């Protein structure tokens, strides 16, 4: 009964999209759940197919929902039911503390030499109670996409603070509309009530030195004047330099507006670089990627650390083959290919100095700085309860952005809610 129900959940993920094998009647069949924005799924598919050719096994793919919260909910349902239907899961960097008990330890399979190749922060994120429950696949850090042609045309520098971005976005938006481009907006970002809003709002707050919602020791720090200032400023963007619809934007909605030539600035992940410079892009060759702005003159350039990991289910009937697939996809050769063809950010620092990688991604020098200065979401401090913390945070932030609540009045209520989630600070 439970297994039939789990299989129905697997179908909700999008079902088996395709299968590939070098020798159809030989080897194991390994099912991989890989999602992605833009061309990320194609990169995943191509890498897995190469593994199938090399190993003589078969790989099947399922495509989970786009939203991180929906993905996590379905993964929790499948794994709690002990479903063997998915062998390798693509998971967010903040999920190991939530899902780690369902995954095998990859430390010995990878070996110390391979583990040492990766960014220590990513290995730390993938480690739960000494167990390496996933392998780092790609890192992410939020960056600012800017129309360099418009900045040059209007004599404006790259904004260093959010205040400068606000002023420049308003000036260019106004001038472009006066010139007949009435669909132009100053700034697009991810404002829907989902994990992406947690990421954006944390960047606004941390850039003003307003903390990380919950500090590494588990103290709830969100109720402070700097956080309120950051949220109030973002509320002021909606309907002025950002379209009202931004409150329902995820990454791809923001990219669609920017890539069509209808925004001056965009906050997004580096995956969008290849797409905004594609042959069919209205802004190809006109875009610069720079660090996100500081929160005022005393603030700092920062972005939220993101990224994806590959984990192997302990319910897999083919754990050895699944682990081999995960190690192949997260290895040096595959990460280099993904970086060159999809602007996927390596978790292996040596690749940021690879000539072919840098030639394909000239902004990687800036990106390396963004990753080095990135802020972590409070997943380690809050453990199994991180998803509850994030959901409470983005729901309340969304209320401020819509104008239903004032930030200063909302933050004490949010703090009380987080205290309840933490069971009095005991996480």
């Amino acid at each position: 009964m439970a297994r039939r129900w789990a299989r129905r959940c697997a179908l909700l993920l999008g079902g088996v999209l395709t299968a590939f094998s070098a020798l159809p009647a030989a080897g194991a069949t390994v099912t991989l759940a890989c999602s992605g924005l833009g061309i990320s799924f194609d990169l995943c598919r191509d890498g897995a197919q190469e593994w199938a050719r090399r190993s003589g096994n078969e790989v099947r793919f399922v495509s989970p929902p786009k939203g991180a919260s929906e993905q996590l909910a379905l993964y929790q349902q499948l794994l709690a039911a002990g479903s063997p239907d998915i062998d390798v899961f693509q998971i967010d960097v903040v999920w190991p503390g939530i899902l780690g008990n369902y995954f095998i330890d990859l430390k010995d399979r990878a070996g110390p030499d391979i583990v040492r190749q990766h960014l220590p922060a990513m290995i730390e994120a993938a480690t739960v109670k000494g167990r390496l429950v996933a392998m780092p696949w790609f890192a992410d850090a939020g960056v600012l996409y800017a129309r360099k042609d418009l900045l040059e045309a209007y004599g404006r520098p790259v904004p260093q603070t959010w205040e400068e971005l606000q002023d420049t976005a308003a000036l260019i938006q106004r001038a472009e509309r006066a010139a007949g481009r009435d669909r132009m907006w100053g700034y697009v970002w991810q404002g829907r009530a989902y994990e992406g809003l947690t990421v954006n709002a944390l960047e606004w707050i941390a850039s003003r030195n307003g903390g990380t919602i919950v500090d590494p020791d588990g103290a709830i720090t969100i109720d402070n004047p700097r956080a309120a200032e950051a949220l109030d400023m973002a509320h002021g963007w909606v309907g002025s330099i950002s379209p009202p619809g931004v409150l329902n934007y995820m990454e791809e909605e923001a990219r669609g507006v920017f890539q069509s030539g209808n925004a001056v600035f965009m906050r997004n992940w580096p995956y969008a670089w290849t797409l905004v410079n594609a042959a069919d892009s209205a802004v190809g060759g006109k875009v610069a990627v720079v660090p996100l702005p500081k929160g005022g003159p005393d603030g700092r350039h920062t972005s939220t650390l993101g990224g994806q990991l590959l984990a192997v289910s302990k319910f897999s009937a083919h754990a050895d083959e699944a682990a081999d697939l995960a190690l192949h996809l997260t290895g040096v050769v595959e990460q280099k290919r993904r970086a060159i063809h999809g602007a996927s950010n390596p978790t292996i620092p040596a690749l940021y100095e690879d000539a072919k990688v840098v030639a394909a991604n000239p902004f990687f020098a800036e990106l390396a700085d963004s990753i080095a200065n990135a802020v972590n979401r409070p997943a380690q401090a809050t453990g199994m309860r991180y998803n509850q913390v994030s959901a409470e945070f983005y729901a309340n932030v969304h209320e401020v952005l819509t104008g239903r609540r004032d930030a200063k009045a909302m933050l004490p209520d949010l703090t009380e809610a987080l205290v309840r989630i933490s069971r009095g600070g005991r996480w």
Side-chain angles (χ1 to χ4, degrees), residues 26-38:
T29 298
V30 177
T31 302
L32 167 63
C34 69
S35 61
L37 302 168

Side-chain angles (χ1 to χ4, degrees), residues 115-129:
V115 170
R116 280 194 292 267
Q117 290 178 341
H118 294 270
L119 290 163
M122 295 295 289
I123 291 294
E124 180 183 350
T127 302
V128 178
K129 297 179 181 178

Side-chain angles (χ1 to χ4, degrees), residues 160-164 203-211 226 229 292-302:
Q160 297 300 307
T161 67
W162 289 111
E163 290 79 4
E164 290 176 6
E203 289 166 348
W204 307 331
I205 292 168
S207 74
R208 288 185 179 274
N209 300 309
R226 292 178 183 270
E229 289 172 5
L292 289 169
K294 299 188 296 182
D298 298 326
R300 62 190 179 113
H301 294 286
T302 191

